[in-house]
Amino acid sequence: MAAKIKFKTMVSAVRGERWCRLLTLLMRLVVGGVFVFSGFVKAVDPWGTCYKITDYMMALGLERWAAVALFAAVALAAFEFLLGISMVMGAYRRGAPWLALLLLLVMTPLTLWLAVTGAVSDCGCFGDALHLSNWATFAKNVFLLLGVVWLLLFNTSLRGVYGPAVQWVLLALSLALVLAVAACGYFVQPLIDFRPYPTGTQLVAATGDASAAEQGEEGDGDDDFIFIYSKNGEEHEFRLDSLPDEDDGWQYVTRYHARRPRGKVIVQTGGSGNAIAIMDSEGNDVTADVMDGRRQLLLLFPDLPQVSLAHAFALNRLTRLAQLDAADVVGLTSATEAQVGQWQDVALADYPIYTMDDSEIKMLARGNPAVVYVDEGKVVWKRTFTSLDVPDETSGITLRELDGDRNDDRTTTALMLAYLAGLVLLLMFNRTHLLLRKLGKRATSHANGTQEP
């Protein structure tokens, strides 16, 4: 009891010190800023956040909850962003640090488990904007815990930017921003593309590049692949000449190109070489043959069995529109050969479908299905299929015009300016009222003083 009283006395003694107030302000900005950044980049790419949460669920044996991964992705992004804004602005000075503490008490042990077991290779804390190792993520969370504990003790020693009466408006404006950004990312494409294949990326070497062709020829064959097999819950890598015997309990998982680390890609922004690897049904690299430098429309099916047959008619209409525009249509999926055959039979798809690594499909464009327009091997535009208004073949609209006048940079700027304008107006409404009241009191005091004899 005496120690508790002594601790409280010590805290009270330093609360008013200048260095304590400055450190508290620094903790608000740093801890809150991390949450703002983390929440915002998650909201930018809800598909990617959903994929990462699904990875966590699979690693924890919670496959039955995978259906709520998308909701959890948006909810987590909004929660982190609102929590961060509250801490940066000094809103809810008591409640915000406690909520941050509860979140970190869950995330810190989880990231320690990831660091020890490697069950998930990348925590996904900052989406594709910033990749940290699992141990670096754990260290980050420990630092945030220390900062939150400091704020629990001293956050009330500093006033917030906004008064308590309007802090809910601050959160409402912040929530509107997060939901708008997430809606763009989910229904169209992420407003800020942190992935390896942004618009303008050279997916394959330009036509006529001899060195690229040579590199493509050298890359053909299974000798250039790393094969992943699992046994007793652990995954191991093997070359073609050292594949394990499945009779010994080894189970095939996947494979990736030796020049493309698993889950990552090598992006060519110019020069020679291919940034993607396309396989035929026999596992041969046919990238150079498929992506031959002509204009192409890539239909991406990251989860082909989950694609609604309701999209089949519009997809076929889009295919005919592309053919009238003298462009090839190519389907890319990670589905099995049987699933591809079933889709082609049921959907009456008359475009070829090739195999591509699941991670590369998801990195290339978000959506199931998604559409990517490529001209001379370079990404011109991409978006989810459901966001496209596919016209009739007689409309005369070209594939380049199909994307309309969409400008992600302009949309992002407009959203941020609207948000900042809302914050400024809220501050003027809140603090101008208090300033006028204070000036009125001063004027009254001055008047009373001059009337005295």
Side-chain angles (χ1 to χ4, degrees):
M1 186 67 179
K4 182 177 181 180
I5 295 176
K6 184 177 180 180
F7 177 75
K8 288 185 175 180
T9 302
M10 181 182 67
V11 170
S12 299
V14 301
R15 284 175 65 89
E17 296 291 334
R18 180 179 175 82
W19 65 267
C20 179
R21 294 166 65 86
L22 289 176
L23 186 56
T24 300
L25 177 60
L26 179 63
M27 288 297 101
R28 279 186 183 179
L29 297 177
V30 173
V31 177
V34 170
F35 278 110
V36 167
F37 180 69
S38 177
F40 184 77
V41 296
K42 286 185 176 72
V44 165
D45 186 10
W47 284 96
T49 308
C50 176
Y51 293 146
K52 183 56 63 176
I53 290 178
T54 302
D55 289 343
Y56 275 97
M57 291 179 174
M58 296 300 178
L60 294 170
L62 302 175
E63 295 88 349
R64 67 179 64 182
W65 294 97
V68 302
L70 178 61
F71 172 80
V74 177
L76 179 61
F79 179 74
E80 288 186 350
F81 187 78
L82 268 61
L83 183 60
I85 286 294
S86 297
M87 299 179 77
V88 169
M89 296 296 183
Y92 302 101
R93 293 177 295 170
R94 296 182 186 276
W98 278 110
L99 288 177
L101 179 64
L102 292 176
L103 179 61
L104 288 171
L105 287 179
V106 174
M107 299 307 297
T108 304
L110 179 60
T111 53
L112 177 60
W113 173 71
L114 292 179
V116 173
T117 64
V120 179
S121 60
D122 175 20
C123 74
C125 299
F126 303 122
D128 289 309
L130 178 63
H131 294 278
L132 298 177
S133 67
N134 287 334
W135 280 111
T137 301
F138 173 69
K140 180 261 297 179
N141 286 342
V142 171
F143 171 78
L144 291 179
L145 265 176
L146 296 176
V148 167
V149 170
W150 179 271
L151 290 176
L152 284 172
L153 297 174
F154 300 106
N155 198 34
T156 56
S157 64
L158 284 179
R159 287 187 177 184
V161 177
Y162 297 93
V166 299
Q167 289 176 0
W168 69 271
V169 182
L170 170 67
L171 295 190
L173 291 172
S174 302
L175 180 60
L177 174 66
V178 168
L179 294 181
V181 170
C184 292
Y186 179 76
F187 292 108
V188 185
Q189 284 296 295
L191 290 174
I192 305 174
D193 199 343
F194 297 112
R195 294 160 295 163
Y197 303 119
T199 300
T201 299
Q202 192 75 41
L203 295 181
V204 294
T207 305
D209 194 328
S211 60
E214 293 174 1
Q215 183 174 348
E217 292 174 1
E218 293 174 359
D220 291 341
D222 289 337
D223 290 340
D224 293 319
F225 286 87
I226 304 297
F227 295 83
I228 307 296
Y229 281 78
S230 66
K231 182 178 181 180
N232 300 326
E234 297 184 0
E235 294 185 353
H236 296 271
E237 299 181 350
F238 299 91
R239 287 281 188 175
L240 180 63
D241 57 0
S242 61
L243 294 180
D245 190 346
E246 295 187 2
D247 293 337
D248 294 335
W250 290 98
Q251 183 177 2
Y252 173 76
V253 178
T254 187
R255 70 176 186 174
Y256 64 90
H257 203 283
R259 296 195 304 272
R260 296 177 176 86
R262 189 182 184 191
K264 300 181 180 179
V265 291
I266 296 177
V267 178
Q268 301 289 340
T269 56
S272 63
N274 299 331
I276 60 175
I278 300 175
M279 311 295 171
D280 62 15
S281 59
E282 298 179 356
N284 299 312
D285 190 333
V286 294
T287 308
D289 297 327
V290 175
M291 305 290 291
D292 55 7
R294 293 180 293 179
R295 292 185 299 114
Q296 292 167 317
L297 198 66
L298 307 182
L299 305 180
L300 309 185
F301 304 98
D303 192 358
L304 186 60
Q306 295 300 317
V307 177
S308 172
L309 282 176
H311 298 324
F313 178 75
L315 282 168
N316 293 338
R317 188 167 72 246
L318 179 61
T319 299
R320 292 191 295 271
L321 181 68
Q323 292 170 348
L324 290 174
D325 197 23
D328 296 330
V329 178
V330 177
L332 299 174
T333 184
S334 58
T336 64
E337 187 175 354
Q339 291 170 334
V340 170
Q342 182 180 11
W343 170 261
Q344 289 178 319
D345 291 339
V346 176
L348 302 177
D350 59 354
Y351 45 85
I353 300 179
Y354 298 93
T355 301
M356 188 173 174
D357 180 76
D358 177 70
S359 61
E360 288 189 346
I361 293 176
K362 293 175 179 178
M363 285 292 186
L364 182 54
R366 300 305 196 194
N368 187 42
V371 182
V372 180
Y373 176 52
V374 178
D375 191 356
E376 294 186 356
K378 182 180 292 186
V379 176
V380 178
W381 58 260
K382 53 183 176 178
R383 59 193 303 163
T384 61
F385 174 73
T386 53
S387 69
L388 282 175
D389 184 14
V390 182
D392 188 80
E393 300 94 297
T394 61
S395 64
I397 295 179
T398 65
L399 292 179
R400 187 175 289 272
E401 298 170 339
L402 195 58
D403 190 42
D405 58 352
R406 181 169 65 97
N407 188 312
D408 292 339
D409 292 338
R410 186 171 58 217
T411 302
T412 304
T413 301
L415 287 174
M416 295 307 300
L417 288 178
Y419 177 65
L420 293 176
L423 296 185
V424 171
L425 290 175
L426 180 62
L427 182 62
M428 291 175 61
F429 171 80
N430 182 229
R431 293 310 186 187
T432 300
H433 172 70
L434 297 177
L435 179 61
L436 292 176
R437 180 187 299 176
K438 188 173 183 179
L439 291 176
K441 288 182 178 180
R442 286 187 178 181
T444 303
S445 300
H446 180 72
N448 292 337
T450 56
Q451 292 175 2
E452 294 179 0

